[in-house]
Amino acid sequence: LAFERACEFIYSTWPVLRDATWTALTVSLVAGAFSGALSSLVSQPADAVLTYVAAREKSNDLDTNGSQGLGVLEGSRLMIEESGFSSLFRGFGSRCVWAAAIIAGQFVLYDLFRNFFGVTSQDLSQVFEITL
């Protein structure tokens, strides 16, 4: 959804970018990078809490006689109390660069192969027909 919206915005701003294959691939690259960065913004707090909970359980050496470790909600509460709200976004910069590069690469490869094999958007749509 973010990729499609980013492509729509770029093409509506600069329609001439649709004309050449290399400019369309550049649009895919930019829109993919935006999508990757956005996905890391959304998922970073949850991953930070899960990492915090796992590290805390490992450092506490919990005994295995049925005691349960921290839950996600309790872990996030403790994390925010100890290190502040910004701790939810610790490591966001490197994760953002990594996700932007990976997602951008995936979309560029997808569009590159789609153009190479001559696959159109209509080829990718599915129609369900029922004949009675």
Side-chain angles (χ1 to χ4, degrees):
L1 183 64
F3 175 78
E4 293 169 0
R5 296 295 179 254
C7 284
E8 289 172 5
F9 173 76
I10 293 169
Y11 285 133
S12 68
T13 306
W14 299 287
V16 71
L17 295 178
R18 291 184 191 267
D19 296 343
T21 302
W22 73 271
T23 56
L25 290 175
T26 303
V27 169
S28 290
L29 182 73
V30 171
F34 171 75
S35 301
L38 185 62
S39 70
S40 62
L41 176 68
V42 171
S43 63
Q44 177 64 32
D47 285 342
V49 170
L50 291 176
T51 302
Y52 174 81
V53 168
R56 187 170 171 110
E57 287 178 356
K58 187 175 182 179
S59 69
N60 286 344
D61 292 325
L62 295 175
D63 51 13
T64 58
N65 61 0
S67 65
Q68 294 184 3
L70 284 176
V72 175
L73 294 177
E74 182 67 18
S76 60
R77 185 186 65 76
L78 285 174
M79 185 175 177
I80 291 171
E81 282 179 3
E82 291 175 5
S83 303
F85 185 77
S86 64
S87 65
L88 295 173
F89 294 95
R90 189 176 299 136
F92 173 69
S94 59
R95 179 189 177 98
C96 185
V97 169
W98 176 83
I102 294 296
I103 302 298
Q106 289 173 345
F107 277 113
V108 166
L109 286 175
Y110 170 77
D111 282 344
L112 186 69
F113 282 107
R114 197 178 77 166
N115 287 334
F116 179 75
F117 290 113
V119 177
T120 65
S121 297
Q122 292 177 348
D123 293 331
L124 298 175
S125 64
Q126 296 180 357
V127 177
F128 183 66
E129 294 182 24
I130 299 176
T131 307
L132 298 176

